[in-house]
Amino acid sequence: MTRVWLPDSPEAFGGLPAGIEADVWEGGDEFPPTADEVEYVVLPFGLEPGTISKIGTLPNLKTVQILSAGADHILPYLPAHITLVNARGAHTPATAEWTAGAIIASVRDFPRFAAAQLAGRWDRAQTDSVMGKRVLIVGYGSIGEAVERRLAGWEVTIDRLARHARDGVHAMDELPGLLPHADVVVILVPVTEETRQLVNAEFLKTMKDGALLVNAARGVIVDTDTLLAELTSGRLRAALDVTDPEPLPDGHPLWSAPGLLLTPHIAGAIRDSRDRSYSVVTAQLARLAAGAPLLNVIGADGY
C-alpha cells in the first residue's frame, strides 16, 4: 500500500484506486500520525515556506504534488531527492482566456471606458484595433498554444518563443530580433534563474513604441521600476495579472500607472479551478497505483 496525504477527502478526488491509502492534511501545523509512512503529499494552497520545508523532512516522502502550475514558491524549500509535480493543464484554459481578454481589453482601451462609466461620463473616443497586430508569445508551452487558439479569429500574426527551438517555435536567444517587431509581448515563462528579471531595461527598451506587455506568469520576471518608468512616459502599455511585490501594497505607484490594466493574480481563478486541479491529482494517483511514470515532473531548474 502507498500512503498519500490529500488536502481534501478522498471522495473529492473521485475515491482512491486500489493500493492507495490516504489521510487528509489541510496544511495545519500538526501532521497526521502517518508522517513516517507517507510517500506522496498533495500540498494545499497557501502554505508558508517553513511548512513546506518541514514537509521535506518526512522520512519516506518521495513526491510532492502542487495544485498550481508555477512551482517557484515550492522548489527552494524541498530537498533534491523529492520529486515535484505540478498541475500542468488544470489552469491552462482560464489563463489563456485572461491573456486573450487582457490583450483585447487593453488594445481597445476598455479600462478608460470602465472609468468613464463609474464617473457617469459619455467618453466617446477612437481606439486601436487588435486586427493586424503581431503577438510575440515568450514561453510557448501549453498555455501559449491555448492563447494562440483563442486569438485565431482575430487576424493577428503569432511569433512563438520557447527555451528550445522546434518546428515553428524560436529559441530564447532569438528574442532580441523578435521584440522590435511585436505589437504585443505575452510573458508565460516559469520563474528560473534565466527568466527572473527577464523583462529588464534592455528588454523594454527594445520593444517598439506603443507596444503592449502582458504578464500572466510571475511578477519577478518583470523589473517593476523600469516598467513603471516606461508606463509613466507613455511609451509602453501593460496588462499585469502578477506583480512584484505581490500582493501589491497600498500606495504602490503601479495602482495609478497610466496605460496599465491590473488584476490581482486571478487569471486561473475560475469557479471550477479546484475541480480542475483535483482531476490532475486523480490521474496522478491512478498512475501511482499502477506503477506508471508520473506526469508533469518539475526539474531542478524550474522546467
Side-chain angles (χ1 to χ4, degrees), residues 106-187:
S106 297
V107 172
R108 294 304 309 268
D109 214 359
F110 286 177
R112 169 180 176 159
F113 301 119
Q117 178 186 354
L118 288 174
R121 186 176 69 255
W122 192 257
D123 184 20
R124 194 170 186 274
Q126 290 184 328
T127 71
D128 204 349
S129 174
V130 177
M131 181 184 66
K133 291 290 183 286
R134 192 171 204 100
V135 180
L136 172 61
I137 300 177
V138 182
Y140 190 79
S142 60
I143 297 175
E145 293 171 358
V147 170
E148 181 171 2
R149 289 195 298 272
R150 281 154 181 78
L151 291 176
W154 290 85
E155 299 178 54
V156 298
T157 301
I158 303 290
D159 290 317
R160 310 164 194 88
L161 194 78
R163 190 184 189 194
H164 303 294
R166 56 186 188 273
D167 189 28
V169 181
H170 299 274
M172 283 295 289
D173 60 6
E174 298 179 71
L175 177 63
L178 295 169
L179 269 179
H181 306 289
D183 301 293
V184 180
V185 180
V186 178
I187 305 299

Coordinates of all heavy atoms in Angstrom, one line a residue, residues 106-187:
S106 N -7.0 45.8 -23.4 CA -6.0 46.8 -23.4 C -6.0 47.6 -24.8 O -5.9 48.8 -24.8 CB -4.7 46.2 -23.1 OG -4.7 45.7 -21.8
V107 N -6.0 46.8 -25.9 CA -5.9 47.4 -27.2 C -7.1 48.3 -27.5 O -7.0 49.4 -28.0 CB -5.7 46.3 -28.3 CG1 -5.8 46.9 -29.7 CG2 -4.3 45.6 -28.1
R108 N -8.3 47.8 -27.0 CA -9.5 48.6 -27.3 C -9.8 49.6 -26.2 O -10.8 50.2 -26.2 CB -10.7 47.6 -27.5 CG -10.6 46.8 -28.7 CD -10.5 47.6 -30.0 NE -11.4 48.6 -30.1 CZ -12.6 48.5 -30.7 NH1 -13.0 47.4 -31.3 NH2 -13.5 49.5 -30.8
D109 N -8.9 49.7 -25.2 CA -8.9 50.7 -24.1 C -10.2 50.6 -23.3 O -10.8 51.6 -22.8 CB -8.9 52.1 -24.7 CG -8.1 53.1 -23.8 OD1 -7.7 52.7 -22.7 OD2 -8.0 54.2 -24.2
F110 N -10.6 49.3 -22.9 CA -11.8 49.1 -22.1 C -11.6 49.8 -20.7 O -12.6 50.3 -20.2 CB -12.0 47.7 -21.9 CG -12.6 47.0 -23.1 CD1 -12.9 45.6 -23.1 CD2 -13.0 47.7 -24.3 CE1 -13.4 45.0 -24.3 CE2 -13.5 47.1 -25.4 CZ -13.8 45.8 -25.4
P111 N -10.4 49.8 -20.1 CA -10.3 50.4 -18.8 C -10.7 51.9 -18.8 O -11.3 52.4 -17.8 CB -8.8 50.3 -18.4 CG -8.4 49.0 -19.1 CD -9.1 49.1 -20.4
R112 N -10.4 52.6 -19.9 CA -10.8 54.0 -20.0 C -12.3 54.1 -19.9 O -12.9 55.0 -19.2 CB -10.3 54.6 -21.3 CG -10.9 55.9 -21.7 CD -10.3 56.5 -23.0 NE -11.0 57.7 -23.3 CZ -10.4 58.6 -24.2 NH1 -9.3 58.4 -24.8 NH2 -11.1 59.7 -24.5
F113 N -13.0 53.3 -20.7 CA -14.5 53.4 -20.7 C -15.1 52.9 -19.4 O -16.2 53.4 -19.1 CB -15.0 52.6 -21.9 CG -14.4 53.1 -23.2 CD1 -13.6 52.3 -24.1 CD2 -14.6 54.5 -23.6 CE1 -13.1 52.8 -25.2 CE2 -14.0 55.0 -24.8 CZ -13.3 54.1 -25.6
A114 N -14.5 51.9 -18.7 CA -15.0 51.5 -17.4 C -14.9 52.6 -16.4 O -15.8 52.8 -15.6 CB -14.2 50.3 -16.9
A115 N -13.8 53.4 -16.5 CA -13.6 54.5 -15.6 C -14.7 55.6 -15.9 O -15.2 56.2 -15.0 CB -12.2 55.1 -15.7
A116 N -14.9 55.8 -17.2 CA -15.9 56.8 -17.6 C -17.3 56.4 -17.1 O -18.1 57.2 -16.7 CB -15.9 57.0 -19.1
Q117 N -17.6 55.1 -17.2 CA -18.9 54.6 -16.7 C -19.1 54.9 -15.2 O -20.2 55.4 -14.8 CB -19.0 53.1 -17.0 CG -20.3 52.5 -16.5 CD -20.4 51.0 -16.6 OE1 -19.5 50.4 -17.2 NE2 -21.4 50.4 -16.0
L118 N -18.0 54.6 -14.4 CA -18.1 54.9 -13.0 C -18.3 56.4 -12.7 O -19.0 56.8 -11.7 CB -16.9 54.4 -12.3 CG -16.7 52.9 -12.2 CD1 -15.3 52.5 -11.6 CD2 -17.8 52.3 -11.3
A119 N -17.8 57.2 -13.6 CA -17.9 58.7 -13.4 C -19.1 59.2 -14.0 O -19.4 60.4 -13.9 CB -16.7 59.4 -14.0
G120 N -19.9 58.4 -14.7 CA -21.1 58.8 -15.4 C -20.8 59.8 -16.5 O -21.6 60.7 -16.8
R121 N -19.8 59.5 -17.3 CA -19.3 60.4 -18.3 C -19.3 59.6 -19.7 O -18.8 58.5 -19.8 CB -17.9 60.8 -18.0 CG -17.4 61.9 -19.0 CD -16.0 62.4 -18.6 NE -14.9 61.4 -18.7 CZ -14.4 60.7 -17.7 NH1 -14.8 60.9 -16.5 NH2 -13.4 59.8 -17.9
W122 N -20.0 60.2 -20.7 CA -20.0 59.6 -22.0 C -18.7 60.0 -22.7 O -18.7 61.0 -23.4 CB -21.3 60.1 -22.7 CG -21.6 59.4 -24.0 CD1 -21.4 59.8 -25.3 CD2 -22.2 58.1 -24.1 NE1 -21.8 58.9 -26.2 CE2 -22.4 57.8 -25.5 CE3 -22.7 57.2 -23.2 CZ2 -23.0 56.7 -25.9 CZ3 -23.3 56.0 -23.6 CH2 -23.4 55.8 -25.0
D123 N -17.7 59.1 -22.6 CA -16.4 59.4 -23.1 C -16.1 58.7 -24.4 O -15.4 57.7 -24.5 CB -15.4 59.0 -22.0 CG -13.9 59.3 -22.4 OD1 -13.7 60.2 -23.3 OD2 -13.0 58.7 -21.9
R124 N -16.7 59.2 -25.5 CA -16.6 58.5 -26.8 C -15.3 58.8 -27.4 O -14.9 60.0 -27.5 CB -17.8 59.0 -27.7 CG -18.0 58.1 -28.9 CD -19.2 58.5 -29.6 NE -19.5 57.5 -30.7 CZ -19.0 57.7 -32.0 NH1 -18.2 58.7 -32.2 NH2 -19.2 56.8 -32.9
A125 N -14.5 57.8 -27.8 CA -13.2 58.0 -28.4 C -12.9 56.8 -29.3 O -13.4 55.7 -29.1 CB -12.2 58.1 -27.2
Q126 N -11.9 57.1 -30.2 CA -11.4 56.0 -31.0 C -10.3 55.3 -30.3 O -9.6 55.8 -29.5 CB -10.9 56.6 -32.3 CG -11.9 57.2 -33.3 CD -11.3 57.6 -34.6 OE1 -10.2 58.1 -34.6 NE2 -12.1 57.5 -35.7
T127 N -10.2 54.0 -30.6 CA -9.1 53.2 -30.0 C -8.3 52.5 -31.1 O -8.7 52.5 -32.3 CB -9.7 52.1 -29.1 OG1 -10.4 51.1 -29.9 CG2 -10.7 52.7 -28.1
D128 N -7.3 51.8 -30.7 CA -6.6 50.9 -31.6 C -7.4 49.7 -31.9 O -8.4 49.4 -31.3 CB -5.2 50.6 -31.0 CG -4.2 50.2 -32.0 OD1 -4.5 50.0 -33.2 OD2 -3.0 50.1 -31.6
S129 N -6.9 48.8 -32.8 CA -7.6 47.6 -33.2 C -6.7 46.4 -33.0 O -5.4 46.5 -33.2 CB -8.0 47.6 -34.7 OG -8.5 46.4 -35.1
V130 N -7.2 45.3 -32.6 CA -6.5 44.0 -32.4 C -6.1 43.5 -33.8 O -5.0 42.9 -34.0 CB -7.3 43.0 -31.6 CG1 -6.5 41.7 -31.5 CG2 -7.6 43.5 -30.2
M131 N -6.9 43.6 -34.7 CA -6.7 43.1 -36.1 C -5.4 43.6 -36.7 O -5.1 44.8 -36.6 CB -7.8 43.4 -37.0 CG -7.7 42.9 -38.4 SD -9.0 43.5 -39.5 CE -8.7 45.2 -39.6
G132 N -4.5 42.8 -37.2 CA -3.3 43.2 -37.8 C -2.1 43.2 -36.8 O -1.0 43.5 -37.3
K133 N -2.3 43.0 -35.6 CA -1.2 43.1 -34.6 C -0.3 41.8 -34.7 O -0.7 40.8 -35.1 CB -1.8 43.2 -33.2 CG -2.5 44.5 -32.9 CD -1.5 45.6 -32.8 CE -2.1 46.9 -32.4 NZ -2.9 47.5 -33.6
R134 N 0.9 42.0 -34.3 CA 1.9 41.0 -34.2 C 2.1 40.6 -32.8 O 2.5 41.5 -32.0 CB 3.2 41.4 -34.9 CG 4.2 40.2 -35.1 CD 5.4 40.6 -35.9 NE 5.9 39.3 -36.5 CZ 5.7 39.0 -37.8 NH1 5.0 39.7 -38.6 NH2 6.2 37.8 -38.2
V135 N 1.8 39.4 -32.4 CA 1.9 39.0 -31.0 C 3.0 38.0 -30.8 O 3.1 37.0 -31.4 CB 0.5 38.3 -30.6 CG1 0.6 37.8 -29.1 CG2 -0.7 39.2 -30.8
L136 N 3.9 38.4 -29.9 CA 5.1 37.5 -29.5 C 4.8 36.8 -28.2 O 4.6 37.5 -27.2 CB 6.3 38.4 -29.4 CG 7.6 37.6 -28.9 CD1 8.0 36.5 -29.8 CD2 8.7 38.6 -28.7
I137 N 4.7 35.5 -28.2 CA 4.5 34.7 -27.0 C 5.8 34.2 -26.5 O 6.4 33.3 -27.1 CB 3.5 33.5 -27.3 CG1 2.1 34.1 -27.8 CG2 3.3 32.7 -26.0 CD1 1.1 33.0 -28.2
V138 N 6.2 34.7 -25.4 CA 7.5 34.3 -24.8 C 7.2 33.3 -23.7 O 6.7 33.6 -22.6 CB 8.2 35.6 -24.1 CG1 9.6 35.2 -23.5 CG2 8.4 36.7 -25.2
G139 N 7.6 32.0 -24.0 CA 7.3 30.9 -23.2 C 6.1 30.1 -23.8 O 5.1 30.0 -23.2
Y140 N 6.4 29.6 -25.0 CA 5.3 28.9 -25.8 C 5.2 27.5 -25.4 O 5.8 26.6 -26.0 CB 5.6 29.1 -27.3 CG 4.5 28.7 -28.2 CD1 3.4 29.5 -28.4 CD2 4.4 27.4 -28.8 CE1 2.3 29.1 -29.2 CE2 3.4 27.0 -29.6 CZ 2.3 27.9 -29.8 OH 1.3 27.5 -30.6
G141 N 4.4 27.2 -24.4 CA 4.0 25.9 -24.0 C 2.6 25.7 -24.1 O 1.9 26.2 -25.1
S142 N 1.9 24.9 -23.2 CA 0.5 24.6 -23.4 C -0.4 25.8 -23.3 O -1.4 25.9 -24.0 CB 0.1 23.5 -22.3 OG 0.3 24.0 -21.0
I143 N 0.0 26.7 -22.4 CA -0.8 28.0 -22.2 C -0.6 28.8 -23.5 O -1.6 29.4 -24.0 CB -0.4 28.7 -21.0 CG1 -0.7 27.9 -19.7 CG2 -1.2 30.0 -20.9 CD1 -0.3 28.5 -18.4
G144 N 0.6 28.9 -24.0 CA 0.8 29.7 -25.2 C 0.1 29.1 -26.4 O -0.5 29.9 -27.2
E145 N 0.0 27.8 -26.5 CA -0.8 27.2 -27.5 C -2.3 27.6 -27.4 O -2.9 27.8 -28.4 CB -0.6 25.7 -27.5 CG 0.8 25.2 -27.9 CD 1.0 23.7 -27.6 OE1 0.1 23.1 -27.1 OE2 2.1 23.2 -27.9
A146 N -2.7 27.6 -26.1 CA -4.1 27.9 -25.9 C -4.4 29.3 -26.2 O -5.5 29.7 -26.7 CB -4.5 27.5 -24.4
V147 N -3.5 30.2 -25.9 CA -3.6 31.6 -26.2 C -3.8 31.8 -27.7 O -4.6 32.5 -28.2 CB -2.5 32.5 -25.7 CG1 -2.5 33.9 -26.2 CG2 -2.5 32.5 -24.1
E148 N -2.9 31.1 -28.5 CA -2.9 31.2 -29.9 C -4.3 30.7 -30.5 O -4.8 31.4 -31.4 CB -1.8 30.4 -30.5 CG -1.8 30.5 -32.1 CD -0.5 29.9 -32.7 OE1 0.3 29.4 -32.0 OE2 -0.4 30.0 -33.9
R149 N -4.8 29.7 -29.9 CA -6.1 29.2 -30.4 C -7.2 30.2 -30.1 O -8.1 30.4 -31.0 CB -6.5 27.9 -29.7 CG -5.6 26.7 -30.1 CD -6.3 25.4 -29.7 NE -6.4 25.2 -28.2 CZ -5.4 24.8 -27.4 NH1 -4.2 24.4 -28.0 NH2 -5.6 24.7 -26.1
R150 N -7.1 30.9 -29.0 CA -8.1 31.9 -28.7 C -8.0 33.2 -29.5 O -9.0 33.9 -29.7 CB -8.1 32.2 -27.2 CG -8.8 31.1 -26.4 CD -8.3 30.9 -25.0 NE -9.0 29.9 -24.3 CZ -8.8 28.6 -24.4 NH1 -7.8 28.2 -25.3 NH2 -9.4 27.6 -23.8
L151 N -6.8 33.4 -30.0 CA -6.6 34.6 -30.9 C -6.8 34.3 -32.4 O -6.6 35.2 -33.2 CB -5.2 35.2 -30.6 CG -5.0 35.8 -29.2 CD1 -3.6 36.3 -29.1 CD2 -6.0 37.0 -29.0
A152 N -7.1 33.0 -32.7 CA -7.1 32.6 -34.1 C -8.0 33.4 -35.0 O -7.7 33.6 -36.1 CB -7.4 31.1 -34.1
G153 N -9.1 33.8 -34.4 CA -10.1 34.5 -35.3 C -9.9 36.0 -35.3 O -10.7 36.8 -35.9
W154 N -8.8 36.5 -34.7 CA -8.7 38.0 -34.5 C -7.7 38.6 -35.6 O -7.3 39.7 -35.5 CB -8.2 38.3 -33.1 CG -9.2 38.1 -32.1 CD1 -9.5 36.9 -31.5 CD2 -10.2 39.0 -31.6 NE1 -10.6 37.1 -30.6 CE2 -11.0 38.4 -30.7 CE3 -10.4 40.4 -31.9 CZ2 -12.0 39.0 -30.0 CZ3 -11.4 41.0 -31.2 CH2 -12.2 40.4 -30.3
E155 N -7.3 37.7 -36.5 CA -6.5 38.2 -37.6 C -5.2 38.8 -37.2 O -4.8 39.9 -37.6 CB -7.2 39.2 -38.5 CG -8.5 38.5 -39.1 CD -9.3 39.5 -40.0 OE1 -8.7 40.1 -40.9 OE2 -10.5 39.6 -39.7
V156 N -4.5 38.1 -36.2 CA -3.2 38.6 -35.8 C -2.1 37.6 -36.3 O -2.4 36.5 -36.7 CB -3.2 38.6 -34.2 CG1 -4.2 39.6 -33.7 CG2 -3.4 37.2 -33.6
T157 N -0.9 38.1 -36.2 CA 0.3 37.2 -36.5 C 1.0 36.8 -35.2 O 1.2 37.6 -34.4 CB 1.3 38.0 -37.4 OG1 0.7 38.4 -38.6 CG2 2.5 37.1 -37.7
I158 N 1.2 35.5 -35.1 CA 1.8 35.0 -33.8 C 3.3 34.6 -34.1 O 3.6 33.9 -35.0 CB 1.1 33.8 -33.3 CG1 -0.4 34.1 -33.1 CG2 1.7 33.2 -32.1 CD1 -0.7 35.0 -32.0
D159 N 4.2 35.1 -33.2 CA 5.5 34.6 -33.2 C 5.7 33.9 -31.9 O 5.3 34.3 -30.8 CB 6.5 35.8 -33.2 CG 6.6 36.5 -34.5 OD1 6.6 35.7 -35.6 OD2 6.6 37.7 -34.6
R160 N 6.3 32.7 -31.9 CA 6.4 31.8 -30.8 C 7.9 31.7 -30.3 O 8.7 31.5 -31.2 CB 5.8 30.4 -31.1 CG 4.5 30.5 -31.8 CD 4.1 29.2 -32.5 NE 3.0 29.3 -33.3 CZ 3.0 29.7 -34.6 NH1 4.2 29.9 -35.2 NH2 2.0 29.8 -35.3
L161 N 8.1 31.7 -29.0 CA 9.4 31.7 -28.5 C 9.4 30.7 -27.3 O 8.6 30.8 -26.4 CB 9.8 33.1 -28.0 CG 11.3 33.3 -27.8 CD1 12.1 33.4 -29.1 CD2 11.5 34.6 -26.9
A162 N 10.3 29.8 -27.2 CA 10.4 28.8 -26.1 C 11.9 28.7 -25.8 O 12.8 29.2 -26.4 CB 9.8 27.5 -26.5
R163 N 12.1 27.9 -24.7 CA 13.5 27.7 -24.3 C 14.4 27.1 -25.3 O 15.5 27.4 -25.5 CB 13.5 26.8 -23.0 CG 14.8 26.7 -22.3 CD 14.6 25.7 -21.1 NE 15.8 25.7 -20.3 CZ 16.0 24.8 -19.4 NH1 15.2 23.7 -19.2 NH2 17.1 24.8 -18.6
H164 N 13.8 26.1 -26.1 CA 14.5 25.5 -27.2 C 13.7 25.6 -28.4 O 12.4 25.5 -28.4 CB 14.7 24.0 -26.9 CG 15.5 23.7 -25.6 ND1 16.8 24.1 -25.4 CD2 15.1 23.2 -24.4 CE1 17.2 23.8 -24.2 NE2 16.2 23.2 -23.6
A165 N 14.4 25.7 -29.6 CA 13.7 25.9 -30.9 C 13.1 24.5 -31.2 O 13.6 23.5 -30.9 CB 14.7 26.3 -31.9
R166 N 11.9 24.6 -31.9 CA 11.3 23.4 -32.5 C 10.5 24.0 -33.7 O 10.5 25.2 -34.0 CB 10.4 22.7 -31.6 CG 9.3 23.5 -30.9 CD 8.6 22.6 -29.9 NE 7.4 23.3 -29.3 CZ 7.4 24.1 -28.3 NH1 8.5 24.4 -27.7 NH2 6.3 24.6 -27.8
D167 N 9.9 23.1 -34.5 CA 9.2 23.5 -35.7 C 8.2 24.6 -35.4 O 7.3 24.4 -34.6 CB 8.5 22.3 -36.3 CG 8.0 22.6 -37.7 OD1 8.5 23.5 -38.4 OD2 6.9 22.0 -38.1
G168 N 8.4 25.8 -36.0 CA 7.5 26.9 -35.8 C 7.7 27.7 -34.6 O 7.0 28.7 -34.3
V169 N 8.7 27.3 -33.7 CA 9.0 28.0 -32.5 C 10.4 28.4 -32.4 O 11.3 27.6 -32.6 CB 8.6 27.1 -31.3 CG1 8.9 27.8 -29.9 CG2 7.2 26.6 -31.4
H170 N 10.7 29.7 -32.1 CA 12.0 30.2 -32.0 C 12.6 29.9 -30.6 O 11.9 29.7 -29.6 CB 12.0 31.7 -32.2 CG 11.5 32.2 -33.5 ND1 12.3 32.3 -34.6 CD2 10.2 32.6 -33.9 CE1 11.6 32.8 -35.6 NE2 10.3 32.9 -35.2
A171 N 13.9 29.9 -30.6 CA 14.6 29.7 -29.3 C 14.8 31.0 -28.6 O 14.7 32.1 -29.2 CB 16.0 29.1 -29.5
M172 N 15.0 31.0 -27.3 CA 15.1 32.2 -26.5 C 16.2 33.2 -27.0 O 16.1 34.4 -26.8 CB 15.3 31.9 -25.0 CG 14.1 31.4 -24.3 SD 12.8 32.6 -24.2 CE 13.5 33.7 -23.0
D173 N 17.3 32.6 -27.5 CA 18.4 33.5 -28.0 C 18.0 34.4 -29.2 O 18.7 35.3 -29.6 CB 19.6 32.8 -28.2 CG 19.5 31.7 -29.3 OD1 18.4 31.6 -30.0 OD2 20.5 30.9 -29.5
E174 N 16.8 34.1 -29.8 CA 16.3 34.9 -30.9 C 15.4 36.1 -30.4 O 14.9 36.8 -31.2 CB 15.5 34.0 -31.8 CG 16.4 32.9 -32.5 CD 15.6 32.1 -33.4 OE1 15.2 32.6 -34.5 OE2 15.3 30.9 -33.1
L175 N 15.2 36.2 -29.1 CA 14.3 37.2 -28.5 C 14.7 38.6 -29.0 O 13.8 39.4 -29.4 CB 14.3 37.1 -27.0 CG 13.5 38.2 -26.2 CD1 12.1 38.1 -26.6 CD2 13.8 38.0 -24.7
P176 N 16.0 39.1 -28.9 CA 16.3 40.4 -29.3 C 15.9 40.8 -30.8 O 15.5 41.9 -31.0 CB 17.8 40.5 -29.2 CG 18.1 39.5 -28.2 CD 17.2 38.3 -28.4
G177 N 15.9 39.8 -31.6 CA 15.5 40.1 -33.0 C 14.0 40.1 -33.2 O 13.5 40.7 -34.2
L178 N 13.2 39.5 -32.3 CA 11.8 39.5 -32.5 C 11.1 40.6 -31.7 O 10.0 41.1 -32.2 CB 11.2 38.1 -31.9 CG 11.7 36.9 -32.7 CD1 11.3 35.6 -31.9 CD2 11.0 36.9 -34.1
L179 N 11.6 41.1 -30.6 CA 11.0 42.1 -29.8 C 10.7 43.4 -30.6 O 9.5 43.9 -30.4 CB 11.9 42.4 -28.6 CG 11.7 41.6 -27.3 CD1 12.6 42.1 -26.3 CD2 10.2 41.7 -26.8
P180 N 11.6 43.9 -31.4 CA 11.3 45.2 -32.0 C 10.1 45.2 -33.0 O 9.5 46.2 -33.3 CB 12.5 45.5 -32.8 CG 13.6 44.7 -32.1 CD 12.9 43.4 -31.7
H181 N 9.6 44.0 -33.4 CA 8.6 43.9 -34.4 C 7.2 43.5 -33.7 O 6.2 43.5 -34.4 CB 8.9 42.8 -35.4 CG 10.2 43.0 -36.0 ND1 10.5 44.0 -36.9 CD2 11.4 42.3 -35.9 CE1 11.8 44.0 -37.3 NE2 12.3 42.9 -36.7
A182 N 7.2 43.3 -32.4 CA 6.0 42.8 -31.7 C 5.1 44.0 -31.3 O 5.6 44.9 -30.6 CB 6.3 41.9 -30.6
D183 N 3.8 44.0 -31.6 CA 2.9 44.9 -31.0 C 2.4 44.5 -29.6 O 2.1 45.4 -28.8 CB 1.7 45.0 -31.9 CG 2.0 45.5 -33.3 OD1 2.5 46.6 -33.5 OD2 1.9 44.6 -34.3
V184 N 2.4 43.2 -29.4 CA 2.0 42.7 -28.1 C 3.0 41.6 -27.7 O 3.4 40.7 -28.5 CB 0.6 42.0 -28.2 CG1 0.2 41.4 -26.8 CG2 -0.4 43.0 -28.6
V185 N 3.6 41.7 -26.5 CA 4.5 40.7 -26.0 C 3.9 40.0 -24.8 O 3.6 40.7 -23.8 CB 5.8 41.4 -25.6 CG1 6.8 40.3 -25.0 CG2 6.5 42.1 -26.8
V186 N 3.7 38.7 -24.9 CA 3.0 37.9 -23.8 C 4.0 37.1 -23.1 O 4.8 36.4 -23.7 CB 1.9 37.0 -24.4 CG1 1.3 36.2 -23.3 CG2 0.9 37.8 -25.1
I187 N 4.1 37.3 -21.7 CA 5.1 36.6 -20.9 C 4.4 35.4 -20.2 O 3.4 35.5 -19.5 CB 5.6 37.5 -19.8 CG1 6.3 38.8 -20.5 CG2 6.7 36.8 -19.0 CD1 7.4 38.5 -21.4

